[in-house]
Amino acid sequence: MKTDDVQSEIEDLRAEINRHNYLYYVLDSPEISDADYDSLMQKLRRLEEEFPQYLTPESPTQRVGAPPLEAFGVVEHQVPLLSLANVFSNEELEAWYKRTLKLLDGQKPTFVCEHKMDGLSVALTYIDGRFTVGATRGDGYRGENITQNLKTIKSIPLTLPKGAPSLIEVRGEVFLPHAGFNKLNKERAAEGQPLFANPRNAAAGSLRQLDSTITATRPLDIYIYTLARLEGAKFPETHSESLNYMKSLGFKINPNNLSADTIEQVEAYRNEWKDKRDSLPYDADGIVAKIDRIELQERLGDVGREPRWAIAYKFPAMQANTLLKEIRISVGRTGTLNPYAVLEPVSVGGVTIKQATLHNEDDIRRKDIREGDTVIIQRAGDVIPQIVGPVLAKRPALSVAFNLPAKVNGVCPECGSRIYKPEGEVMYYCPDAACPAQAILKIEHFASRGAMDIRGVGEKMSVILYKEGLIGDFADLYTLRNKRDELLNIERMGEKSIDNMLEAIENSKKRPLANLIFALGIRHAGEEMAGILADEFGSIDSLEAASKDEIDAIPTIGVKISDSIIAYLGNPKNREIIQKLKDAGVTMSMENKQTGNKPLAGMEFVITGKLESMSRPLAEEKIKQLGGAAKGDVTRKTDYLVAGADPGSKLDRAREMGIKIISESEFLGLLK
Ligand code: AMP
Ligand code: ZN
């Protein structure tokens, strides 16, 4: 390929990726599948590796983080980042409005209402359309240079479209959506790491990492709400125009912003969102009303560190104190003993809280939460209610530190088996695979949406089927169609719903491999990891055949997960369940796109060394899918030796024996 062609191919790829990125992360409306997006990225990464002279810091491949810094640099803010004045009631808001009217000689302003995002404000500067500096607010005048970290946030454009101004500085709030926060804390709880108290702290901790590759793993997002500086274009006359202008440049603007003509409309906006805040995927602690005309903003100016032209109208607090009556233990699907708090019911921001998760014993001890304590409860939207900590002044005299084994007398509260705690872990486990609590939850998990998606088999039905003795594990679900009469005998089960359930069970046999792997309930194999395992191995057979070394050789799979897969498959009971699924006709491999077409039929392959484009198990799976055989050793029957990087002794042997040796790219050619 001519290098000019390479360069233009690279540029085209970047433009295409940036467009899909924008569609996905800013507009929330992707046009292509994740897999197609990944393959575009992979193509670009390869080209950039081969032709490093064309690598630029704005390339979408550079969002994965950079080498760790010693310390952050300092950024002087050209325009200071101010704070906001707060009000808490309509009266206070109206008083602010009256003062403002007076200062404007009675000229009535209009407003833009926005959510007051509870995250971290940042300033992003673009020179000639390129993201050059990103900074924290700091003291408002000087912040920290966190450009590397901000580049990992996919909703921040790295380049602006053609015709962008020569200089633009925008400001906005970086936040961690609730779903990401819950997931992060769950992972940290399982690993015994200290938990983040709320999404804001988690976002702060993520943004202020000297190692931006850590930031890259946190699903941070941003909304832009201020145009701070502009050169090479005319500054808009209103705030709403500036929002539209920034939107046209590809910045992510909160779709919940709303124009208001009167102060009553501002009140209505705040009241509406006060009631709906729980439906938001992020934390907002109030609303902000901003006077729309920039000229009026300038006339009003600032007082101290607060602009006179904007006001935050806060929501009621989301914290409350209550009595922790008891710490109870439930048994999870993977056998974990999960402590949770039973609370004296308390209303927090309009929702009654009776229970809160306590994650693990270490976390309880770290916060020193005890039965009988008065505790501070905090909640936010769909974030699991948190216990911030005890109110020590109210601690009863005879309280004792919490001890999990003592609480349950050393045995599983569901089945009485002796509990244990693996070395280096924080959770206690019930070891018994026959523990009813675990069995039922495993069935429920197997049937759930992200797993086999069997409508009709939910929490209640899992309990019924198990307790009625109709199934002993989830693989038995596929035997239910022979037990229709017995199902009909169960009280309150209609014929129609039974048939619907049986049909859903039948349909689930065609679920994709990734969902099946997730459904098996292997410890640490969440939805994302199940997808990776499916991509890497291509079938349950090849996963079962893999050694620990082979699994560890796959860079996206950590040791924790490989240990857990080996342990899972090493358990005869699990193998038996998998065999039952196979016998029932559940799909056990990735959809073979060329069904019936077996171009490699009768050919034997041996692979040596490391392949660039796929894991070895996947390569072997593909050979099998195309009708070929993949063998471990070179023999006279071998047709091809595929030689990857750092080939082993198999290469020498193949040479001696005169066997055809092919490169990875030749191999990929054969697979096509
Ligand atoms: P405070 O920290 O309470 O003084 O409030 C000022 C901060 O509110 C700003 O520095 C921003 O971080 C934050 N903020 C959140 N949402 C907005 C918004 N829509 N407009 C302006 N500031 C906001
Ligand atoms: Zn048990």
Side-chain angles (χ1 to χ4, degrees):
M1 213 178 335
K2 287 226 306 283
T3 54
D4 287 6
D5 296 346
V6 173
Q7 188 173 12
S8 72
E9 186 178 355
I10 287 181
E11 276 162 13
D12 289 350
L13 264 174
R14 282 184 193 147
E16 198 180 345
I17 291 169
N18 282 338
R19 193 173 77 85
H20 289 302
N21 212 44
Y22 175 73
L23 287 168
Y24 187 93
Y25 290 103
V26 179
L27 299 186
D28 242 341
S29 63
E31 278 177 8
I32 58 172
S33 70
D34 290 1
D36 290 343
Y37 178 85
D38 291 344
S39 82
L40 288 175
M41 278 295 269
Q42 208 175 358
K43 209 158 146 193
L44 176 60
R45 225 176 271 127
R46 283 230 195 93
L47 280 172
E48 286 177 345
E49 260 165 37
E50 202 174 334
F51 303 94
Q53 65 269 39
Y54 299 127
L55 187 63
T56 66
E58 295 82 26
S59 171
T61 58
Q62 301 307 295
R63 289 191 186 269
V64 292
L69 303 170
E70 295 279 323
F72 295 117
V74 172
V75 175
E76 304 264 353
H77 296 302
Q78 302 301 309
V79 180
L81 276 85
L82 299 176
S83 187
L84 287 167
N86 287 322
V87 295
F88 296 88
S89 65
N90 285 355
E91 291 70 43
E92 285 177 309
L93 180 73
E94 283 156 23
W96 169 80
Y97 181 61
K98 277 204 193 107
R99 286 198 303 276
T100 308
L101 274 186
K102 221 192 238 158
L103 290 166
L104 293 176
D105 299 322
Q107 189 176 340
K108 281 210 175 79
T110 58
F111 307 90
V112 173
C113 300
E114 302 175 2
H115 289 171
K116 187 167 189 296
M117 308 288 305
D118 203 2
L120 289 103
S121 51
V122 295
L124 315 174
T125 304
Y126 292 73
I127 295 176
D128 295 329
R130 286 159 193 250
F131 177 42
T132 34
V133 183
T136 62
R137 160 166 141 164
D139 64 4
Y141 301 98
R142 308 169 91 221
E144 283 172 323
N145 185 332
I146 53 163
T147 314
Q148 288 302 351
N149 302 36
L150 289 168
K151 277 170 86 172
T152 68
I153 301 177
K154 306 255 191 10
S155 44
I156 293 181
L158 300 181
T159 54
L160 300 182
K162 287 218 171 60
S166 54
L167 182 146
I168 177 169
E169 180 185 337
V170 302
R171 282 153 188 196
E173 200 87 348
V174 170
F175 61 96
L176 185 63
H178 292 163
F181 171 75
N182 284 333
K183 188 160 166 261
L184 181 62
N185 254 3
K186 216 173 130 196
E187 285 165 8
R188 291 173 73 88
E191 283 163 15
Q193 297 182 56
L195 304 181
F196 289 114
N198 54 48
R200 203 197 102 85
N201 288 0
S206 306
L207 256 196
R208 296 200 64 261
Q209 289 285 342
L210 289 167
D211 181 353
S212 52
T213 59
I214 297 178
T215 316
T217 65
R218 311 271 168 88
L220 296 167
D221 204 345
I222 193 168
Y223 279 129
I224 300 295
Y225 47 62
T226 302
L227 176 60
R229 286 195 296 156
L230 186 62
E231 284 170 19
K234 190 172 163 292
F235 207 98
E237 289 184 1
T238 62
H239 179 59
S240 38
E241 275 169 42
S242 75
L243 291 172
N244 284 334
Y245 175 61
M246 294 188 289
K247 190 171 173 185
S248 75
L249 292 176
F251 291 107
K252 190 165 180 173
I253 312 291
N254 193 332
N256 296 315
N257 294 348
L258 191 73
S259 290
D261 289 334
T262 64
I263 201 71
E264 287 77 23
Q265 285 173 9
V266 172
E267 287 170 8
Y269 180 84
R270 186 265 185 180
N271 280 334
E272 181 190 339
W273 286 107
K274 169 175 71 74
D275 296 334
K276 287 203 305 198
R277 66 196 287 195
D278 277 353
S279 67
L280 292 171
Y282 52 76
D283 276 5
D285 54 348
I287 64 122
V288 187
K290 298 175 180 173
I291 289 180
D292 200 21
R293 292 208 74 76
I294 306 290
E295 180 210 324
L296 297 186
Q297 292 185 2
E298 281 165 357
R299 262 172 66 191
L300 287 165
D302 310 327
V303 49
R305 291 185 152 219
E306 292 163 359
R308 283 201 192 84
W309 48 267
I311 190 88
Y313 187 174
K314 298 295 254 319
F315 295 143
M318 289 287 252
Q319 283 196 346
N321 290 2
T322 194
L323 178 71
L324 193 174
K325 296 200 288 193
E326 194 192 344
I327 295 177
R328 283 194 202 154
I329 313 292
S330 69
V331 183
R333 165 170 61 78
T334 53
T336 49
L337 270 64
N338 307 317
Y340 66 97
V342 180
L343 305 165
E344 184 67 47
V346 62
S347 168
V348 190
V351 173
T352 303
I353 307 290
K354 297 178 199 148
Q355 287 184 359
T357 163
L358 287 167
H359 303 287
N360 59 54
E361 190 187 34
D362 284 10
D363 194 54
I364 299 172
R365 289 181 168 245
R366 197 158 22 221
K367 292 180 184 158
D368 192 19
I369 296 168
R370 304 179 180 191
E371 291 182 322
D373 271 346
T374 295
V375 290
I376 305 164
I377 309 292
Q378 172 179 286
R379 61 169 281 272
D382 44 358
V383 169
I384 301 155
Q386 313 268 316
I387 296 189
V388 181
V391 182
L392 290 178
K394 295 203 174 162
R395 173 165 285 171
L398 289 176
S399 93
V400 286
F402 181 69
N403 177 305
L404 193 147
K407 176 76 194 175
V408 295
N409 298 317
V411 299
C412 169
E414 296 282 347
C415 71
S417 306
R418 187 143 291 279
I419 60 169
Y420 71 104
K421 185 179 181 183
E423 211 179 293
E425 290 200 28
V426 284
M427 303 306 278
Y428 285 87
Y429 289 90
C430 162
D432 194 347
C435 177
Q438 293 177 51
I440 291 168
L441 288 170
K442 282 194 172 105
I443 295 164
E444 194 188 327
H445 171 75
F446 182 81
S448 67
R449 271 269 217 97
M452 300 305 266
D453 194 19
I454 304 174
R455 305 285 156 87
V457 182
E459 193 179 332
K460 283 207 191 93
M461 185 56 72
S462 305
V463 175
I464 293 172
L465 294 173
Y466 184 85
K467 296 227 159 133
E468 293 284 334
L470 289 167
I471 60 176
D473 59 50
F474 53 74
D476 291 342
L477 284 169
Y478 296 101
T479 65
L480 280 178
R481 60 178 175 169
N482 305 326
K483 299 184 181 164
R484 193 165 173 277
D485 291 341
E486 289 167 67
L487 286 167
L488 282 169
N489 279 337
I490 299 175
E491 234 179 304
R492 287 201 310 258
M493 291 251 287
E495 197 162 347
K496 182 95 186 103
S497 66
I498 288 175
D499 287 335
N500 285 344
M501 176 177 87
L502 291 176
E503 194 188 325
I505 292 174
E506 207 50 34
N507 289 339
S508 74
K509 290 181 179 172
K510 296 193 280 288
R511 283 290 273 175
L513 180 63
N515 299 88
L516 174 65
I517 295 178
F518 177 58
L520 293 178
I522 304 170
R523 203 174 282 168
H524 303 308
E527 259 172 291
E528 205 181 319
M529 185 47 67
I532 293 174
L533 291 170
D535 285 344
E536 294 289 348
F537 291 94
S539 74
I540 295 287
D541 284 342
S542 95
L543 185 61
E544 281 182 299
S547 68
K548 177 151 164 55
D549 286 346
E550 274 174 311
I551 305 177
D552 283 336
I554 300 167
T556 39
I557 298 181
V559 186
K560 210 170 62 179
I561 180 83
S562 65
D563 281 345
S564 153
I565 293 168
I566 295 294
Y568 183 92
L569 293 171
N571 180 333
K573 177 113 179 87
N574 291 333
R575 291 263 183 177
E576 190 188 305
I577 290 180
I578 291 176
Q579 188 56 47
K580 281 204 266 183
L581 293 173
K582 285 181 186 168
D583 295 342
V586 175
T587 304
M588 290 281 155
S589 62
M590 289 249 241
E591 206 83 322
N592 179 6
K593 286 181 189 120
Q594 299 131 306
T595 25
N597 187 2
K598 306 269 182 208
L600 303 186
M603 294 187 202
E604 268 198 29
F605 288 76
V606 174
I607 301 174
T608 182
K610 244 182 92 123
L611 300 182
E612 286 276 311
S613 58
M614 66 183 90
S615 72
R616 210 193 273 194
L618 182 60
E620 292 176 353
E621 178 60 28
K622 291 204 162 161
I623 292 169
K624 274 187 236 158
Q625 285 187 357
L626 296 178
K631 294 283 156 87
D633 273 315
V634 177
T635 67
R636 261 175 299 134
K637 280 199 255 152
T638 310
D639 294 289
Y640 291 101
L641 178 82
V642 183
D646 305 322
S649 61
K650 288 180 212 168
L651 181 63
D652 302 330
R653 211 166 328 131
R655 280 209 184 102
E656 279 165 29
M657 298 171 76
I659 283 158
K660 190 162 169 56
I661 297 164
I662 58 174
S663 67
E664 179 171 352
S665 59
E666 287 171 295
F667 172 63
L668 292 177
L670 284 180
L671 293 184
K672 273 201 186 129

